[in-house]
């Protein structure tokens, strides 16, 4: 059996389904190009029938990247497949990913169908997709809870129908590693023609077992893994790309390899986290802020004597650059451009000038500007397209006074001003905002995060605001956390469906 593991990245499909993580097409292209540089074999670029935005993104990503196969998701429905084939028309290498639920609960409750009928629908969809492309992947949704004998029948039928890859998702993240590994082995041992297709893992992390399950699948014969950057994805997320890539790199005893250029892992992680406004937990394996930080005395002593005492991988191997140049107010445009390049963002001309001007303003407020700040600035131009913008904000607050805020908004070129008092400075500022924007909207979630330890740091604010029965997610970043909060609220309002 071949020892190459194909890396199928679904950050832009399964990952992007996370509420608040939606990217626009330009941002998706940026991520797709970074995934290409990282060395992924297949990019799942979207679910074209689900929205015009997804359809367009698949088209634009297909034009923008060269080497990876571009994959589009469908249900086992002809119309979905027609639209996916159309969206893939510019892809140099293309794949349609079609499938249907195979567990008894999906068959009964989702489809009100029978096992035999599901096999027929699966076969029909694969044959239909093969009319458009040579590379068709079939997913057996909820395969994790599908009885192995029936799953083997489904997989055998779709391979006969022309599936080139068979995906065995643990959709609910329920399987134990031993169980998932045994499932893959069962298919290897019992499916006629299994050698004509690649078996793929697709594991969710509901019980924290996604990486272990993926490894169990690979050790038992799967040769494709479906993963996301930082493990983002529905609910508790998907298997994280960086964990699988580094397990296979560190474990020389396992004779499996990927095409991943591991030194691009960290910049890719930062880029995805920044564009999706999705912080990476500090203790996240491989890419978390503390992944290589040794704090206990015993560990520090050991590492100083020989790093191998407590470090199983070199931070440089995942692209963490200890000697990264720290940018300050004296850094030039070229240094900023270089740092952005290292982080996977290519900027030139007017765009670079704009980011540089913002960088200088921030560097005036903060002594040292770090990678997260830079990525935040590079992404800040998203707010330029907003029709509602914050013009000014003044807040007085302190012990023994009731906070008061006055705010100025620019709404499609027209200026508005208002003032209000509140329980705290953020409350006062949002009340003032609501004097101008008179809508029934409710703040549902509000988190403030700083990146470094310094009191001069940029505060990042994530908010969820409910309006007209829908939830909207907004983001703001500023060294002034009251301003960052108001920017996050305004970001939500700009997304309201008119
Ligand atoms: O988790 C899952 O089952 C999926 C399929 C659509 C592949 O994401
Ligand atoms: Zn999934």
């Amino acid at each position: 059996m071949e020892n190459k593991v194909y890396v199928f990245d679904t950050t832009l499909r399964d990952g992007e389904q996370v509420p608040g993580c939606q990217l626009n097409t330009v941002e998706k292209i940026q991520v797709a190009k970074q995934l290409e540089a990282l060395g992924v074999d297949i990019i799942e670029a979207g679910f074209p029938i689900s929205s015009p935005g997804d359809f367009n993104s698949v088209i634009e990503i297909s034009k923008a990247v060269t080497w990876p196969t571009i994959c589009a998701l469908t249900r086992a429905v002809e119309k979905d497949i027609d639209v996916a084939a159309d969206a893939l028309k510019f892809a140099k290498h293309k794949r349609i990913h079609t499938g249907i639920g195979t567990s008894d609960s999906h068959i009964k409750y989702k489809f009100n169908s029978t096992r035999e009928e599901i096999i027929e629908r699966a076969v029909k969809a694969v044959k239909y997709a093969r009319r458009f492309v040579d590379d068709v992947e079939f997913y057996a949704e909820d395969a994790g809870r599908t009885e192995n004998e029936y799953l083997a029948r489904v997989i055998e039928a779709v391979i006969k129908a022309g599936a080139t890859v068979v995906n065995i998702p643990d959709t609910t993240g329920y399987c134990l590693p031993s169980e998932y590994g045994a499932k893959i082995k069962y298919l290897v041992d019992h499916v006629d023609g299994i050698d004509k297709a690649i078996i793929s893992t697709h594991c969710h992390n509901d019980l924290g077992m996604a990486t272990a399950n993926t490894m169990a699948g690979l050790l038992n014969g799967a040769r494709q893994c479906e993963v996301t950057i930082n493990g983002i994805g529905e609910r508790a997320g998907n298997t994280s790309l960086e964990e699988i890539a580094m397990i296979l790199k560190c474990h020389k005893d396992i004779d499996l390899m990927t095409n991943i250029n591991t030194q691009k892992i960290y910049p890719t992680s930062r880029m995805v986290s920044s564009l999706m406004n999705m912080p990476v937990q500090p203790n996240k394996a491989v890419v978390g802020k503390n992944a290589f930080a040794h704090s206990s005395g015993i560990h520090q002593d050991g590492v100083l004597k020989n790093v191998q005492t407590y470090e199983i991988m070199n931070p440089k191997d995942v692209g963490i650059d200890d000697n990264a140049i720290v940018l300050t107010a004296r850094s030039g445009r070229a240094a900023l451009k270089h740092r952005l390049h290292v982080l996977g963002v290519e900027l030139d001309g007017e765009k670079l000038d704009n980011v540089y001007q913002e960088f200088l303003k921030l560097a005036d407020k903060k002594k040292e500007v770090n990678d997260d700040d830079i990525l935040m600035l590079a992404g800040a131009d998203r707010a330029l397209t907003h029709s509602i913008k914050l013009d000014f904000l003044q807040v007085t607050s302190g012990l023994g006074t009731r906070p008061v805020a006055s705010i100025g908004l620019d709404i499609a070129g027209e200026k508005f001003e208002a003032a209000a008092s509140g329980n705290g400075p953020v409350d006062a500022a949002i009340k003032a905002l609501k004097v101008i924007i008179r809508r029934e909207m409710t703040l549902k979630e509000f988190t403030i995060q700083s990146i470094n330890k310094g009191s001069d740091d940029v505060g990042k604010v994530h908010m969820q605001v409910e309006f007209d029965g829908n939830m909207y997610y907004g983001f703001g970043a500023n060294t002034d956390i009251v301003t960052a909060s108001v920017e996050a609220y305004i970001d939500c309002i700009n997304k309201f469906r008119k």
Side-chain angles (χ1 to χ4, degrees), residues 450-491:
S450 74
I451 298 161
N452 283 333
K453 295 142 218 128
S455 54
D456 62 348
D457 199 10
V458 172
K460 289 184 158 197
V461 175
H462 295 261
M463 273 189 182
Q464 284 184 37
V465 171
E466 193 178 17
F467 170 65
D468 202 19
N470 293 309
M471 201 65 84
Y472 296 88
Y473 298 82
F475 173 73
N478 202 294
T479 46
D480 178 327
I481 54 170
V482 184
T483 304
S485 307
V486 173
E487 280 172 350
Y489 209 108
I490 292 175
D491 191 29

Side-chain angles (χ1 to χ4, degrees), residues 8 10 13-14 17 44 73-74 97 99 106 137-143 167-172 202-204 226 234-235 238:
F8 175 116
T10 184
R13 200 278 298 168
D14 224 342
Q17 277 170 223
E44 189 162 47
L73 185 76
T74 77
H97 189 189
H106 276 230
E137 173 167 341
F138 174 80
Y139 64 87
E141 195 179 7
D142 205 14
N167 179 12
I168 312 300
D170 182 23
T171 305
T172 60
H202 179 113
C203 300
H204 280 268
E226 305 200 358
E234 287 266 33
R235 310 181 306 279
N238 291 57

Side-chain angles (χ1 to χ4, degrees), residues 291-476:
F292 295 95
H294 302 277
S295 54
S296 87
I298 295 173
H299 284 205
Q300 284 177 347
D301 181 53
V303 168
L304 286 173
K305 286 176 177 147
N306 185 327
V307 286
Q308 283 181 13
T309 49
Y310 287 99
E311 253 178 37
I312 56 165
M313 52 190 156
N314 186 336
K316 287 199 172 69
D317 283 348
V318 301
I320 294 177
D321 180 2
D322 283 343
N323 304 318
I325 317 160
V326 176
L327 299 183
T328 67
R330 281 177 301 285
S331 303
R333 201 175 310 242
L336 176 68
K337 184 176 158 72
H338 174 73
R339 199 65 210 148
L340 280 163
H341 166 77
V342 170
L343 295 169
V345 182
E346 303 299 340
L347 287 187
D348 274 308
E350 201 185 328
K351 223 159 172 201
L352 177 64
D353 287 347
N354 291 341
V355 174
Y356 185 63
Q357 289 315 317
E358 292 307 311
F359 159 76
L360 288 179
K361 283 187 210 157
L362 181 62
D364 258 355
K365 296 186 206 160
K366 277 188 86 175
K367 278 198 301 287
E368 291 178 349
V369 179
N370 61 32
D371 288 352
D372 288 284
D373 298 329
I374 291 168
L375 283 167
M376 185 252 320
L377 292 176
D381 61 331
R382 277 173 283 171
L384 295 177
T385 55
H386 284 172
S387 58
I388 303 173
K389 295 190 184 89
L390 180 63
D391 216 10
F392 70 83
L393 177 68
Q394 191 179 29
V395 185
T396 48
S397 68
L399 191 65
T401 60
R402 182 160 170 83
V404 178
S406 47
I407 195 169
L409 296 185
D410 177 322
I411 305 182
E414 223 182 309
K415 308 279 183 191
F416 297 84
E417 290 181 22
S421 65
N423 281 338
V426 174
D427 188 44
I430 289 175
K431 284 197 168 124
L433 173 77
K434 285 179 162 179
V435 173
I436 305 174
I437 312 277
R438 292 172 183 277
R439 304 238 185 145
E440 279 298 317
M441 46 194 182
T442 318
L443 181 57
K444 289 290 187 187
E445 207 176 294
F446 175 25
T447 53
I448 303 182
Q449 223 202 346
S450 74
I451 298 161
N452 283 333
K453 295 142 218 128
S455 54
D456 62 348
D457 199 10
V458 172
K460 289 184 158 197
V461 175
H462 295 261
M463 273 189 182
Q464 284 184 37
V465 171
E466 193 178 17
F467 170 65
D468 202 19
N470 293 309
M471 201 65 84
Y472 296 88
Y473 298 82
F475 173 73

Side-chain angles (χ1 to χ4, degrees), residues 172-248:
T172 60
Y174 176 77
C175 283
L176 293 169
S178 54
E179 207 180 341
Y180 190 75
K183 191 173 281 290
I184 300 298
K185 182 160 173 22
Y186 187 90
L187 297 176
V188 170
D189 291 343
H190 292 87
V191 171
D192 254 3
I194 194 72
D195 50 314
K196 295 196 182 73
I198 292 172
I199 302 178
S200 183
T201 62
H202 179 113
C203 300
H204 280 268
N205 204 29
D206 299 65
L207 292 170
M209 295 188 286
T211 296
N213 282 343
T214 298
M215 281 310 302
L218 296 177
L219 292 172
N220 281 283
R223 285 295 174 269
Q224 176 179 285
C225 57
E226 305 200 358
V227 290
T228 60
I229 301 297
N230 300 333
I232 61 161
E234 287 266 33
R235 310 181 306 279
N238 291 57
T239 306
S240 77
L241 180 148
E242 57 276 11
E243 291 174 16
I244 297 298
M246 289 315 289
I247 290 170
L248 295 182

